[in-house]
Amino acid sequence: QVQLAESGGGLVQAGGSLRLSCAASGGTFSSSAMGWFRQAPGKEREFVATISRTGGGTSYAGAVSGRFTISRDNFKKTVYLQMNSLKPEDTAVYYCALREAGTSTDARRYDYWGPGTQVTVSS
């Protein structure tokens, strides 16, 4: 059984930066793709970024491309999301997810989820 725990969320001013972390326990982290998703109040959960098991392949949502960077450390069993040039519209609960297969932008294809961490960007 895999457990995921996000950290690093908080309140930041527009234009600022945050780095989210997601630590995994159990399971086979190094053979799994990882993803970040977010959900704003009153909206559906949406894809943010995904990374392949080796870290060699990444994909981003258009809204965050060029501002966010996903990375992973398989030794530490941790995936990161570096968020720069934050905007008020980035305010959401951010979730990490693990998929015991290749990368995907579809939340329904992920097998395990963390409880989420709140990111609030003030204008």
Side-chain angles (χ1 to χ4, degrees):
Q1 186 74 10
V2 174
Q3 291 186 323
L4 303 174
E6 302 95 339
S7 61
L11 174 64
V12 64
Q13 290 187 330
S17 298
L18 282 175
R19 187 175 84 153
L20 305 183
S21 299
C22 173
S25 60
T28 53
F29 179 85
S30 61
S31 63
S32 301
M34 298 296 296
W36 284 98
F37 294 79
R38 66 185 182 186
Q39 187 167 18
K43 295 187 177 181
E44 292 187 353
R45 190 170 299 190
E46 64 174 3
F47 166 74
V48 174
T50 184
I51 188 166
S52 65
R53 59 184 181 177
T54 64
T58 59
S59 179
Y60 297 91
V64 307
S65 183
R67 300 188 296 123
F68 291 10
T69 302
I70 188 171
S71 62
R72 66 189 295 163
D73 184 330
N74 285 347
F75 181 75
K76 294 182 178 179
K77 300 179 75 172
T78 301
V79 64
Y80 305 97
L81 185 68
Q82 177 67 44
M83 305 186 295
N84 298 328
S85 302
L86 283 160
K87 304 176 181 180
E89 51 264 43
D90 294 318
T91 295
V93 176
Y94 283 71
Y95 300 89
C96 71
L98 181 147
R99 181 168 191 252
E100 294 177 321
T103 59
S104 176
T105 62
D106 187 346
R108 297 169 297 181
R109 296 184 179 274
Y110 282 77
D111 303 296
Y112 299 95
W113 290 83
T117 186
Q118 177 71 47
V119 172
T120 302
V121 185
S122 63
S123 56

